[in-house]
Amino acid sequence: MSRGIRLEKTIKEIYPFKKYLNPNKVYLPLVAHKSEDITVLVKKDDYVVEGDMVAKSKGDLKVPLHAPISGKVLGFEQKYYLNNKKVKCLVIENDFVDQLDDKEYQLYDYTKEEVINKLKESGVVGLSGTAFPTYVKYDNDLKTLIVNAVESDPDTSSDAILINNKCEEILEVMDALVEIFGMNEGIIAIKKNDLLIKKIIKNYIGTYVKLKLVEVPDYYASGWERDLVWRIKKEKYKNYPIEKGIVVNGVATMYAIYETLKYHQPLIQRVVTFSGDKLEKPANVLVKNGTLVSDVIDFLGGLEEGSKMLIANGPLMGESIASYELVVSSDLTAVSIITALEECKEETCLRCGACVLACPAKLSPVLINEATDNLKQFRPQKCVGCGLCSYVCPANINLRNKVQRAKEEIA
Amino acid sequence: MSLKTFSGPYIKNSQNASQIMNHLLIALMPIIIFTIYKNGYIPYREGYYDFIMIFYPLFFILIAVLTSCLTEISFFFLRKQNIKEAFKKSYAFLPGLFVALVLPLNTPIFILIVGAFIATAIGKLIFGGFGHNIFNPALLGVLFVMAIYSVNIVESGGYLNPYEADVISGATPLATEVEGIGGYATLVEPYGRLSDFFIGTIPGSVGETSALLIILAFFYLAINRMIKWRITTTYVATVFVMTYLIGTLHGFGAWYPLFHIFSGGLLFGAVFMATDPVTSPTTPVGQLLFGLFLGVLTVVFRFLSPYPEGVLTAILTMNLLVFILDKIGFYARFNFSKSMAGFVLAWILIVGISFLVAAGFDQKDEDANFVINEVAEVDNQVIYHVSQRGFSGWIEAEVILENDEVVNFVILSQTESYWARVENANYVEKLIAADDFEEVDTISSATITTDSLKSILRNVLEDYHE
């Protein structure tokens, strides 16, 4: 495995935690697991209650979407999704009636099947950017649970704040899952130099016999699932770690599982890091799915003057968005509003090989960039979009973009 | 509210291309200063140069740099490009700089200019400029100059600065070793000790002689991650292993592989030329194979071909294979065994060629340096037709004896580098005329050739007396 690159800026500031749970309107993006192929179950002027299922993806996985707030369905509108394209959103006007009850359930009372069913009907998906339905991972013979708390992006701290606030809950649900699924161990993986969250986890983890803390080096992309599984369990797999009986979840997903099992709360909210030099008060904000980013910015005190850029999902893997009318979705981890950058001018490739050494997926971006035909032989489909090739390129070539384009071309 | 968008990533590390070039220049600086010291200051100190000539090596380098810069500027002008912009990104000084560092000090300035021009125009610009060339531009220029003007370069003094020419009277260490033969006495002693090879006070091209400074430059570049260090290390290691095998099979000590590594521009080539990013593989395994085969080819060219520029030829040959090595390197990242064939081939060649060279080496050594091809007696004259090893090849001669006296001595063929000096001195005639040819003074700048001529007579007389 390539060990990746130590970023020049790695020191992370953990922004304060805030809640913004009652926007006037939500624009729930009708996207599930990156697909817009969805059956809508409500129509204009219907009244929906917080937690009602309002849509369901077609296909095998059938991921449900739930109403994040109670209120009247106003119809459908196009808003920006995190790939900088507009998607159809379900508009709900808030009537500010809180409908979810606070009844608690015992985590350890669940059986395997009940957990899987609960995850399926609550629509829990991977919250670290993949939006892959979580129940699919648990529907296997499992040996090891790994919770991935390795946040590589220098500006994102949504996982760190969850550990800070909800460490006990996260460890409890990990232990419950290990118990229910008869797994050998539960591992929480963090970056070596994340001292704060290391301290917090160490405070609580001692009471759980089957849970342990594992540190990984401070390299970018050391939180990549494939790398993590190799580093911790020395296992290689073809497509998914469940082939080896390993289930890997992010911290945010683990907390969503907790809320589902403990309160029967469907997946309707998440923590998003709002950062950037143009934002008056950066924060980690708990927001409802479908909240407009512009509303959250107003809530946080607005923006400074000057030309700006809005970047969704971190500076290395993310995309710049053309409008503040970006909607919060399950796969949005961070929003950054920064002073507008100049796009680097591309120079001639030196063939220095830096991109080859940097690529965690062992690709050779320089060869894909040079290739004129038969792109397939260079396997661009293996690209994970981590952005390191562009990050290291001394000639400012946007290799991530070129490899991703090659990937689309052969698909 | 409009927001700026372009495709990410939106952060970059601080390394850029001109930084790499700056590091390269910093690494080369001590080498340039050393050549001013060795080829300028030492001759001045010993009284061979005027003060101003101390800076001749620097002048030599600047002329070449200027030539390649002007060549590129005129190219941009003809292509109607924005000269300032294009020049900034083309690193035009590089081919000229390296041409100057690789050529012998006494290369006539006009030949130097031709070399730098060819390096830039043919080596780089016709491929489309920086980043598009297949061959190392500087080496292509040097190859051209060496092929066409090698005689002129030798005539004007070759690799030796004036001080060395007087003290050493030979060529560079490797040139004496044309067929890869020689013990410590012929290879190393004429130039000092092995430590002189290491420090660099031996004859050689402008920038190649100081092993120490080149090794320091390598570590500087490698630590700053500015160089494909895999190529350099495997290249040097391969040459070491092969020459060690050859030396050991011949009974030489550890000095022999070190001699090979410290001479003939191998280190300079391995650190600065083979690692030229544009013309070397980008994948780690590709770089390892590149280095291995460079080592094999260098040994092949040094021992098995009469052509003297082993490193240069090896690098230019391997430049052709970069694409294939990169492809092997690409597959090897997923499945290392895909590159096994390459490594196995390299190892077979390393061992096989070492033994082959060592075997040929012994046989030639038994042949000695003197061969009698034919002896004929006509009347009371005895005519010898003989071959004698000279400075850079075999000298064939006809010697006619009468009553214990040499009456005629005709050179039938020779390939001596400094023959002109022998001819100008009417040396052969002097040998015939002298009462005792052993008393005739050798020509100081062609010692080996004149000694060989004496050996011919000595050996013929010895045979005659028997």
Side-chain angles (χ1 to χ4, degrees):
Chain A
M1 283 286 155
S2 158
R3 63 177 192 174
I5 296 281
R6 193 184 285 273
L7 297 182
E8 281 167 10
K9 184 196 167 200
T10 53
I11 298 160
K12 179 180 289 187
E13 196 184 333
I14 301 179
Y15 301 120
F17 180 74
K18 289 180 182 171
K19 283 183 184 176
Y20 180 68
L21 293 175
N22 268 313
N24 289 329
K25 284 180 195 169
V26 295
Y27 300 79
L28 185 69
L30 295 168
V31 180
H33 192 212
K34 310 280 180 197
S35 159
E36 289 178 56
D37 198 8
I38 269 185
T39 317
V40 183
L41 305 172
V42 291
K43 56 185 190 301
K44 195 166 181 271
D45 296 331
D46 278 1
Y47 182 80
V48 292
V49 176
E50 180 177 10
D52 279 358
M53 196 201 288
V54 291
K56 199 171 197 173
S57 72
K58 293 175 185 164
D60 300 336
L61 297 175
K62 300 260 188 294
V63 184
L65 295 176
H66 300 272
I69 53 174
S70 305
K72 202 172 90 173
V73 174
L74 294 182
F76 301 92
E77 264 183 56
Q78 298 275 330
K79 296 286 174 196
Y80 280 90
Y81 183 60
L82 50 77
N83 60 3
N84 196 26
K85 293 194 177 101
K86 284 189 170 179
V87 293
K88 191 170 150 192
C89 299
L90 179 74
V91 190
I92 304 171
E93 190 178 38
N94 201 344
D95 66 355
F96 300 100
V97 178
D98 196 4
Q99 298 282 350
L100 284 177
D101 58 8
D102 287 342
K103 191 166 179 247
E104 286 189 21
Y105 300 83
Q106 271 305 315
L107 294 180
Y108 292 91
D109 291 349
Y110 282 90
T111 64
K112 267 190 204 184
E113 289 69 28
E114 281 167 358
V115 170
I116 292 166
N117 280 332
K118 196 73 216 159
L119 294 178
K120 192 172 180 178
E121 70 187 48
S122 298
V124 177
V125 296
L127 295 178
S128 309
T130 58
F132 185 79
T134 304
Y135 80 90
V136 180
K137 293 184 181 178
Y138 283 89
D139 204 358
N140 286 286
D141 276 338
L142 299 174
K143 286 187 297 213
T144 308
L145 168 67
I146 297 177
V147 171
N148 185 350
V150 185
E151 258 178 334
S152 298
D153 259 331
D155 278 338
T156 311
S157 54
S158 55
D159 283 354
I161 202 78
L162 264 179
I163 290 175
N164 190 41
N165 296 354
K166 304 285 180 190
C167 187
E168 270 184 285
E169 287 84 345
I170 291 166
L171 291 176
E172 192 191 340
V173 71
M174 280 176 72
D175 190 58
L177 288 172
V178 169
E179 205 57 48
I180 293 163
F181 286 85
M183 290 189 256
N184 302 330
E185 56 180 344
I187 294 168
I188 183 158
I190 65 161
K191 222 158 51 172
K192 205 177 262 168
N193 63 346
D194 282 345
L195 299 177
L196 178 71
I197 65 170
K198 178 154 81 182
K199 199 174 142 209
I200 296 166
I201 296 171
K202 277 196 170 161
N203 271 344
Y204 293 105
I205 202 166
T207 50
Y208 299 103
V209 187
K210 286 191 169 175
L211 300 190
K212 64 175 182 181
L213 178 69
V214 171
E215 295 172 33
V216 301
D218 176 28
Y219 287 108
Y220 179 73
S222 58
W224 177 38
E225 195 167 86
R226 199 175 279 271
D227 216 17
L228 203 63
V229 168
W230 172 250
R231 218 179 275 277
I232 297 174
K233 298 302 294 177
K234 294 281 173 282
E235 292 271 21
K236 285 185 178 180
Y237 54 88
K238 197 159 177 287
N239 294 315
Y240 302 103
I242 42 177
E243 294 159 16
K244 303 281 177 184
I246 299 168
V247 56
V248 183
N249 284 138
V251 171
T253 317
M254 198 44 65
Y255 187 65
I257 296 174
Y258 174 83
E259 289 196 318
T260 295
L261 298 183
K262 191 86 176 175
Y263 304 109
H264 286 189
Q265 182 187 317
L267 185 73
I268 53 170
Q269 61 194 36
R270 64 160 302 141
V271 180
V272 178
T273 304
F274 283 81
S275 67
D277 58 346
K278 286 291 180 189
L279 202 60
E280 297 269 353
K281 290 169 195 148
N284 282 297
V285 190
L286 180 65
V287 284
K288 291 278 166 75
N289 281 350
T291 311
L292 280 186
V293 163
S294 55
D295 289 346
V296 185
I297 292 170
D298 290 341
F299 165 74
L300 289 175
L303 296 168
E304 286 172 22
E305 291 296 304
S307 63
K308 293 177 268 284
M309 279 179 88
L310 191 158
I311 293 161
N313 273 357
L316 277 160
M317 301 190 69
E319 278 300 333
S320 50
I321 311 295
S323 159
Y324 293 113
E325 295 203 327
L326 170 69
V327 288
V328 172
S329 51
S330 317
D331 38 10
L332 182 74
T333 59
V335 170
S336 189
I337 298 123
I338 56 168
T339 311
L341 302 166
E342 282 305 310
E343 191 169 6
C344 285
K345 203 157 171 268
E346 201 168 285
E347 294 167 21
T348 318
C349 174
L350 292 166
R351 304 193 87 252
C352 68
C355 52
V356 180
L357 294 178
C359 181
K362 297 187 188 177
L363 292 172
S364 303
V366 53
L367 299 182
I368 295 172
N369 183 32
E370 278 172 4
T372 45
D373 59 339
N374 198 3
L375 282 167
K376 205 169 179 171
Q377 62 177 329
F378 295 118
R379 306 182 190 178
Q381 73 277 11
K382 282 182 179 278
C383 176
V384 289
C386 73
L388 276 182
C389 45
S390 300
Y391 177 79
V392 297
C393 181
N396 300 331
I397 300 170
N398 193 345
L399 291 157
R400 186 193 88 177
N401 202 13
K402 302 206 172 192
V403 176
Q404 292 278 354
R405 247 187 355 224
K407 189 177 178 175
E408 282 160 25
E409 215 166 284
I410 66 158
Chain B
M1 276 201 304
S2 84
L3 283 162
K4 188 169 177 179
T5 54
F6 61 83
S7 177
Y10 305 97
I11 52 171
K12 263 197 65 55
N13 72 358
S14 52
Q15 193 182 94
N16 58 42
S18 49
Q19 230 175 353
I20 295 179
M21 296 304 165
N22 290 344
H23 279 282
L24 192 63
L25 282 182
I26 292 169
L28 281 168
M29 235 9 106
I31 292 167
I32 294 171
I33 292 169
F34 179 80
T35 190
I36 296 173
Y37 167 76
K38 193 204 106 182
N39 294 319
Y41 178 70
I42 290 182
Y44 164 73
R45 189 185 63 193
E46 302 294 330
Y48 291 89
Y49 268 171
D50 292 336
F51 177 75
I52 193 74
M53 286 295 281
I54 290 177
F55 300 103
Y56 181 75
L58 187 62
F59 169 77
F60 188 83
I61 292 167
L62 289 179
I63 286 285
V65 169
L66 199 65
T67 307
S68 47
C69 287
L70 287 175
T71 311
E72 292 225 3
I73 289 173
S74 15
F75 174 78
F76 295 141
F77 181 74
L78 290 176
R79 292 264 306 257
K80 298 197 170 57
Q81 275 168 299
N82 181 339
I83 292 175
K84 212 174 148 193
E85 277 295 300
F87 190 72
K88 219 166 109 189
K89 296 293 169 207
S90 79
Y91 310 102
F93 61 90
L94 281 179
L97 177 62
F98 282 120
V99 165
L101 289 175
V102 173
L103 278 176
L105 179 72
N106 295 310
T107 307
I109 291 296
F110 118 84
I111 294 176
L112 172 71
I113 291 174
V114 170
F117 172 77
I118 296 287
T120 315
I122 309 293
K124 189 170 161 188
L125 295 178
I126 59 164
F127 289 102
F130 180 79
H132 302 289
N133 46 308
I134 294 167
F135 298 104
N136 185 312
L139 292 185
L140 210 64
V142 172
L143 178 75
F144 180 83
V145 164
M146 287 293 188
I148 305 218
Y149 298 110
S150 66
V151 178
N152 307 44
I153 293 173
V154 168
E155 290 280 296
S156 57
Y159 288 95
L160 302 166
N161 67 42
Y163 168 66
E164 290 164 344
D166 236 19
V167 184
I168 294 168
S169 71
T172 60
L174 262 185
T176 49
E177 191 232 0
V178 174
E179 310 278 342
I181 301 169
Y184 193 80
T186 36
L187 294 179
V188 180
E189 267 170 14
Y191 314 99
R193 284 174 303 176
L194 214 52
S195 60
D196 295 315
F197 281 71
F198 184 63
I199 291 162
T201 49
I202 51 161
S205 60
V206 175
E208 287 177 353
T209 54
S210 177
L212 172 67
L213 291 179
I214 295 168
I215 291 169
L216 286 179
F218 169 70
F219 281 113
Y220 173 79
L221 292 170
I223 287 166
N224 284 301
R225 299 183 181 215
M226 297 291 163
I227 195 178
K228 294 173 178 171
W229 56 268
R230 288 174 182 82
I231 297 176
T232 311
T233 43
T234 44
Y235 185 5
V236 174
T238 307
V239 172
F240 182 87
V241 167
M242 292 183 79
T243 50
Y244 180 80
L245 278 177
I246 293 168
T248 307
L249 290 170
H250 201 62
F252 293 150
W255 65 270
Y256 189 73
L258 289 177
F259 163 80
H260 268 278
I261 284 166
F262 293 161
S263 56
L266 177 89
L267 277 176
F268 189 86
V271 174
F272 291 106
M273 314 308 279
T275 60
D276 168 30
V278 178
T279 56
S280 58
T282 57
T283 51
V285 167
Q287 290 167 11
L288 292 178
L289 288 172
F290 191 71
L292 284 172
F293 283 106
L294 275 175
V296 170
L297 279 182
T298 302
V299 170
V300 166
F301 287 129
R302 276 193 180 174
F303 288 96
L304 300 177
S305 105
Y307 195 68
E309 300 288 340
V311 173
L312 182 153
T313 327
I315 294 176
L316 287 174
T317 312
M318 287 310 292
N319 283 166
L320 276 172
L321 303 178
V322 164
F323 179 69
I324 296 166
L325 292 179
D326 257 346
K327 253 190 149 173
I328 296 173
F330 170 81
Y331 289 115
R333 294 198 85 195
F334 297 103
N335 183 355
F336 187 74
S337 61
K338 290 250 167 95
S339 62
M340 251 3 235
F343 284 101
V344 169
L345 179 65
W347 283 112
I348 290 172
L349 286 174
I350 286 171
V351 177
I353 288 174
S354 302
F355 278 90
L356 185 74
V357 169
F361 204 80
D362 285 338
Q363 180 211 335
K364 276 191 185 136
D365 207 47
E366 282 159 15
D367 285 348
N369 293 327
F370 178 75
V371 181
I372 298 169
N373 300 326
E374 205 183 336
V375 186
E377 287 188 43
V378 181
D379 300 331
N380 49 355
Q381 289 186 328
V382 183
I383 303 166
Y384 275 84
H385 191 174
V386 298
S387 302
Q388 163 77 37
R389 191 185 293 280
F391 170 62
S392 49
W394 290 85
I395 301 169
E396 278 189 48
E398 191 176 76
V399 182
I400 303 177
L401 298 174
E402 190 176 339
N403 300 330
D404 229 2
E405 289 279 323
V406 176
V407 293
N408 204 2
F409 182 16
V410 183
I411 306 300
L412 301 173
S413 73
Q414 50 75 32
T415 55
E416 297 302 272
S417 311
Y418 298 100
W419 188 251
R421 297 180 188 177
V422 177
E423 267 191 336
N424 291 344
N426 284 330
Y427 197 75
V428 176
E429 287 73 12
K430 278 185 196 163
L431 287 177
I432 301 170
D435 287 336
D436 181 359
F437 66 86
E438 300 282 7
E439 297 289 306
V440 180
D441 283 338
T442 52
I443 296 172
S444 63
S445 51
T447 330
I448 295 176
T449 306
T450 46
D451 279 345
S452 306
L453 293 176
K454 285 183 187 174
S455 303
I456 293 178
L457 297 182
R458 199 181 305 127
N459 290 326
V460 166
L461 283 172
E462 207 173 279
D463 187 75
Y464 180 76
H465 291 308
E466 279 169 14

